[in-house]
Amino acid sequence: MTLTGLYVPLITPFDESGGIAFDALETLAHQILDGGARGLVALGTTAEPSALTEHERESVLKIATQACQAHDAQLLVGANSPQALDDLRERPEVTAALTLVPPFIRPGEAGAAAYLTQLAATSPVPIVIYHVPYRTGQPLSAATIQDLAAVDNIKGIKYAQGGIDEETITLMADLPPDFAVLAGDDPYISPMLALGAHGGILASALVVPTQFATLIDAWLTNDVVQAREPGHRLGNLSQALFAEPNPTVIKAVLHARGTIPTPAVRPPLLQADPTSATRAIEKLTRLV
């Protein structure tokens, strides 16, 4: 299994009645893959999975699966517990699970690593670790990530460290073989690719998938000249899209463009302030 290129975490669009806008979700999934994405992420945090019913999650996963099959694309699925991983056992179409470092508990690096190793041992699909310490409260050092990379069935990491720090440099300077580092902080996608990341899992690409796919391809083919200037502009756009809790601004922009029927989110999220959407749209108009 090779994980390279652009992966886009799907939102869950809602209609005027508050239900899932399934047609809009299906159209969006195909647009993203037509735009050059290597794959989709279903039921990641961008999809507001904790606010969905079991039936809704099943329906979202079905749409994502069918879109990926139609495009011969890869499918990652958010799964953070032994039960959620086991539920993927009868889904051969799933490429890997995107599995969060255990949040809130803060078990320490050794505890987090032991838990992820245990999950990998029983998971029916490969695991991509979701490392986002400013949300989970549990950082992982470069050394711990490198140890986890040696574990059978752990095949990569969504790396959302919150910036480019010393641990990032240490990790990227000595990348484990056959282990994919997928950048997960959208504004930093270009510098992460410059350091050697294999691709990205980027919610910002819901808005402009082709531009992000092209940017990643440029870095992966060492075309620095073609990568530098778009990287600056896309990083600037991403900052605007993440000015409020994800995916509120992204949904507002997609609604303004007519891609989804409403900008609605479910509690505990609140809809983005109109000024945030306006700023993001202004930056978007400079790209398209």
Side-chain angles (χ1 to χ4, degrees):
M1 179 187 69
T2 302
L3 294 167
T4 61
L6 173 65
Y7 298 83
V8 182
L10 289 171
I11 57 162
T12 304
F14 301 118
D15 58 26
E16 297 288 352
S17 70
I20 295 178
F22 292 111
D23 289 346
L25 176 60
E26 182 177 9
T27 298
L28 180 62
H30 285 284
Q31 287 176 345
I32 290 166
L33 295 172
D34 284 335
R38 180 72 184 276
L40 300 175
V41 179
L43 302 176
T45 52
T46 300
E48 304 171 69
S50 62
L52 304 179
T53 67
E54 182 177 353
H55 175 71
E56 287 174 330
R57 289 193 292 270
E58 180 68 26
S59 299
V60 166
L61 183 53
K62 181 178 179 181
I63 288 172
T65 298
Q66 291 174 340
C68 286
Q69 289 176 326
H71 292 264
D72 193 25
Q74 295 181 328
L75 176 63
L76 278 61
V77 178
N80 303 312
S81 68
Q83 182 59 59
L85 287 165
D86 194 62
D87 289 343
L88 301 177
R89 190 168 301 279
E90 302 303 322
R91 296 187 178 276
E93 65 275 10
V94 174
T95 304
L98 183 61
T99 303
L100 193 63
V101 172
F104 185 75
I105 298 172
R106 300 179 68 184
E109 284 192 77
Y115 179 69
L116 291 166
T117 300
Q118 181 180 359
L119 290 181
T122 58
S123 174
V125 298
I127 283 178
V128 174
I129 298 166
Y130 185 6
H131 176 47
V132 54
Y134 53 88
R135 293 193 180 190
T136 64
Q138 179 58 67
L140 298 180
S141 66
T144 295
I145 293 171
Q146 288 164 339
D147 287 343
L148 285 166
V151 174
D152 287 342
N153 216 30
I154 294 180
K155 299 302 182 182
I157 187 167
K158 178 181 177 180
Y159 191 80
Q161 180 77 5
I164 308 292
D165 62 3
E166 183 177 347
E167 291 296 333
T168 305
I169 300 299
T170 300
L171 174 66
M172 301 307 293
D174 187 21
L175 285 178
D178 302 319
F179 181 77
V181 175
L182 301 173
D185 281 315
D186 297 29
Y188 298 100
I189 178 59
S190 200
M192 283 296 295
L193 290 164
L195 288 170
H198 302 85
I201 299 178
L202 307 172
S204 299
L206 285 156
V207 177
V208 282
T210 300
Q211 286 87 336
F212 276 101
T214 301
L215 172 69
I216 291 172
D217 288 344
W219 278 114
L220 293 180
T221 56
N222 296 314
D223 192 346
V224 178
V225 174
Q226 292 298 319
R228 182 179 290 115
E229 194 270 338
H232 293 160
R233 290 186 288 115
L234 289 170
N236 200 19
L237 172 64
S238 292
Q239 287 184 313
L241 292 172
F242 279 81
E244 297 191 40
N246 184 48
T248 60
V249 180
I250 289 173
K251 279 191 164 184
V253 171
L254 290 174
H255 172 60
R257 300 178 77 190
T259 305
I260 59 176
T262 76
V265 291
R266 288 183 179 173
L269 292 174
L270 298 174
Q271 288 187 31
D273 188 285
T275 58
S276 295
T278 299
R279 292 190 192 100
I281 292 169
E282 288 173 352
K283 295 182 184 298
L284 179 61
T285 57
R286 302 171 190 173
L287 294 174
V288 297

